[in-house]
Amino acid sequence: QVQLGESGGGLVQPGGSLRLSCTASGTVFGRNPMGWYRQAPGKQRELVAFIASGGLTHYADAVKGRFTISKDDAKNTVTLQMNSLLPEDTAVYYCYLKFWGDDYWGQGTQVTVSS
């Protein structure tokens, strides 16, 4: 029905940057709420950034001022620009989409921040 494909994860040094991208495919169109979640080992999955269907954004306190979420509804993509990365940002990052009342998740992409 709807599939989310993520890319952009990897290994980066503290203070570095990564850009995560997610593209929705299948039966999806229009303006949709999208977001990024992450889960570190031994921790609960948490919201990182969210962008509403109209474009308003919300960020977790831990990433405010460092991460930027954006989306392109024409391409059904959402992007997370991550700057000034910290070791505590290390986690598997999951793309999220809400469409017609249903929640969809990507498979996750690993982000590791380490020297």
Side-chain angles (χ1 to χ4, degrees), residues 4-6 9 11 17 31 42 50 58-59 61 65 67 69 73-74 76 85 88 90 96-97 102 105 107 110-112:
L4 302 179
E6 301 148 319
L11 175 64
S17 298
R31 300 175 182 175
F50 174 84
H58 171 78
Y59 298 92
D61 288 342
F67 292 8
I69 188 170
D73 291 314
N76 298 125
L85 283 162
E88 45 263 52
T90 296
Y96 164 85
L97 165 72
D102 294 325
W105 297 91
Q107 79 284 353
Q110 177 70 48
V111 171
T112 302

Side-chain angles (χ1 to χ4, degrees), residues 1-4 22-25 27-37 50-51 71 73 76-78 94-106:
Q1 190 170 353
V2 177
Q3 298 82 42
L4 302 179
C22 174
T23 299
S25 61
T27 309
V28 60
F29 56 87
R31 300 175 182 175
N32 304 289
M34 302 185 77
W36 288 94
Y37 291 72
F50 174 84
I51 184 165
K71 66 183 176 80
D73 291 314
N76 298 125
T77 61
V78 62
Y94 298 90
C95 178
Y96 164 85
L97 165 72
K98 190 174 186 68
F99 181 64
W100 281 55
D102 294 325
D103 298 332
Y104 298 90
W105 297 91

Side-chain angles (χ1 to χ4, degrees), residues 69-90:
I69 188 170
S70 61
K71 66 183 176 80
D72 185 338
D73 291 314
K75 298 180 179 179
N76 298 125
T77 61
V78 62
T79 299
L80 185 67
Q81 178 66 48
M82 304 186 293
N83 299 325
S84 302
L85 283 162
L86 303 169
E88 45 263 52
D89 294 319
T90 296

